[in-house]
C-alpha cells in the first residue's frame, strides 16, 4: 500500500506545476496552491492525530483517501485559482490523514531505525516508478486522464486497507494528554520542532525548483519527472546502506547534522547556470540530505515520545509544524522565482534554513551526551 500510494502521488505531483503553468496560472499562485496542497493537511495533523487515536488508523486512512481523491478531481478541469486552492486544501487534509494513519500503524508495530528507513524506502519506490508513468501519460493523454488513473488507484488502496487487520484504536485518556504536554515542554522536543520546521521549509522548495531547472537544462517539459525518478532511485539504492549499515554507529543527532550540512551545499549549484552538470549535482546532494534527515527526524520523534499510546499525537504535532513550514516555504519560493525569473535567489532562503538545522542537531547531540 505504501508503494502504491507513492506511485499515485508522484505520478501526478511532478507534472502539476507544468500543467498549471500551461493553463496560465502565475508562479506565485502556483506556489500558494502547492503550499496548500502540501501544508494545510500537515497543519491539521494535530487534530488528525487525535482523530486517529480515537477512531483508529483503518477508518482514518480510508476517509483520507476519499478526501484526497475529491480534491484532486478538481485539477482535471480548468477553473479559477481560488477553486484550485480550495481543492488543494481538501486533498491535503486527505493526504495527511492517510499518511499519518499508515505511519502510526507501522510505528506501533516497530520503532527501530531499520523500520523507519524501510518505510521511507517503500515511499520512494513509489516515487521512483510514479514519475515515469506520469511522464508517459502526460505526453500521450490529457491531464484529466492522469487524474482519473490516480482516483482508480486510491479506490484500490482503500479496498486493500479494508481487507487488512489494523490495531485497535488508541484510547484517548488523561494520561495521554499529560504525556503530550510533557513532550511539548521538553527542551529536546522544542529543538526537534525547530529542526522539523527547517527541513520541511527546505523541502517546500523542491517542487518549485525542479521543474524550472529541469526545463532549462534539458529543454523538455517531462524532464522534471526524470529528476523525481533520479531522486527516488538514489534514496532506494543508498538510504538503507547509509542510515542502517554505514552510519549505524553514529547517534541520530550526528546523522541529522550530516544531512543538514549536505542540504546546505546542495543549493550552491543553483547559483550556476542551470545545465545538466549543476542539475545533477543539486539532485544528488539534495537526495542524500533527504535520505539522512527525513527518517532520522521520525526516529528522534519516536524516542522522545513517552509511550506508544502517544505516537499518534507526537507525529501529528510534528506534521502540523511541517505543514506550517510548507505553507510558508512554497509561496516564498514562488515569489522569489517570480521576481527574479530564476532560482538563484532560492539560495538566500535555503542556506539559513540548513544552518539552523545543523545548529539544532548539535544542540540535540549535547543533550544526548548529557543523558
Amino acid at each position: 500500500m505504501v508503494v502504491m500510494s507513492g506511485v499515485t502521488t508522484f505520478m501526478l505531483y511532478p507534472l502539476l506545476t507544468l500543467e498549471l503553468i500551461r493553463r496560465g496560472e502565475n508562479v506565485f499562485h502556483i506556489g500558494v496552491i502547492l503550499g496548500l496542497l502540501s501544508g494545510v493537511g500537515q497543519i491539521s495533523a494535530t487534530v488528525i492525530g487525535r482523530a486517529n487515536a480515537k477512531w483508529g488508523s483503518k477508518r482514518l486512512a480510508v476517509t483520507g483517501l476519499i478526501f484526497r481523491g475529491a480534491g484532486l478531481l478538481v485539477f482535471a478541469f480548468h477553473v479559477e485559482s481560488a477553486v484550485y486552492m480550495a481543492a488543494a486544501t481538501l486533498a491535503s487534509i486527505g493526504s495527511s490523514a492517510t499518511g499519518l494513519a499508515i505511519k502510526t500503524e507501522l510505528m506501533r508495530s516497530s520503532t527501530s531505525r531499520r523500520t523507519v528507513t524501510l518505510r521511507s524506502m517503500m515511499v520512494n519506490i513509489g516515487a521512483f516508478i510514479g514519475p515515469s508513468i506520469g511522464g508517459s501519460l502526460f505526453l500521450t493523454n490529457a491531464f484529466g486522464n492522469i487524474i482519473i488513473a490516480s482516483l482508480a488507484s486510491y479506490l484500490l488502496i482503500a479496498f486493500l486497507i479494508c481487507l487488512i487487520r489494523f490495531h485497535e484504536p488508541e484510547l484517548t485518556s488523561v494520561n495521554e494528554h499529560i504525556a503530550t504536554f510533557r513532550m511539548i515542554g521538553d527542551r529536546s522536543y522544542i529543538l526537534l520542532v525547530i529542526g522539523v520546521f527547517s527541513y520541511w521549509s527546505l523541502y517546500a522548495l523542491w517542487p518549485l525548483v525542479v521543474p524550472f531547472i529541469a526545463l532549462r537544462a534539458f529543454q523538455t517539459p517531462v524532464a522534471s519527472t526524470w529528476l523525481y525518478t533520479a531522486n527516488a532511485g538514489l534514496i532506494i539504492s543508498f538510504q538503507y546502506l547509509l542510515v542502517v549499515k554505514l552510519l549505524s554507529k553514529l547517534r541520530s543527532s550526528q546523522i541529522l547534522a550530516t544531512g543538514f550540512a549536505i542540504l546546505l551545499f546542495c543549493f550552491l549549484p543553483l547559483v550556476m547556470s542551470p545545465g545538466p552538470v549543476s542539475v545533477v549535482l543539486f539532485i544528488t546532494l539534495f537526495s542524500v540530505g533527504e535520505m539522512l534527515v527525513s527518517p532520522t527526524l521520525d526516529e528522534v520523534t519516536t524516542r522522545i515520545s513517552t509511550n506508544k499510546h502517544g505516537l499518534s499525537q507526537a507525529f501529528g504535532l510534528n506534521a502540523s509544524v511541517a505543514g506550517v513550514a510548507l505553507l510558508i516555504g512554497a509561496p516564498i519560493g514562488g515569489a522569489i522565482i517570480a521576481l527574479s525569473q530564476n532560482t538563484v535567489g532560492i539560495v538566500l532562503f535555503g542556506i539559513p534554513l540548513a544552518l539552523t538545522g545543523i545548529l539544532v542537531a548539535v544542540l540535540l547531540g549535547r543533550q544526548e551526551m548529557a543523558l
Side-chain angles (χ1 to χ4, degrees), residues 265-280:
F265 287 104
C266 86
F267 286 96
L268 298 181
L270 296 180
V271 179
M272 303 165 56
S273 177
V277 174
S278 61
V279 169
V280 169

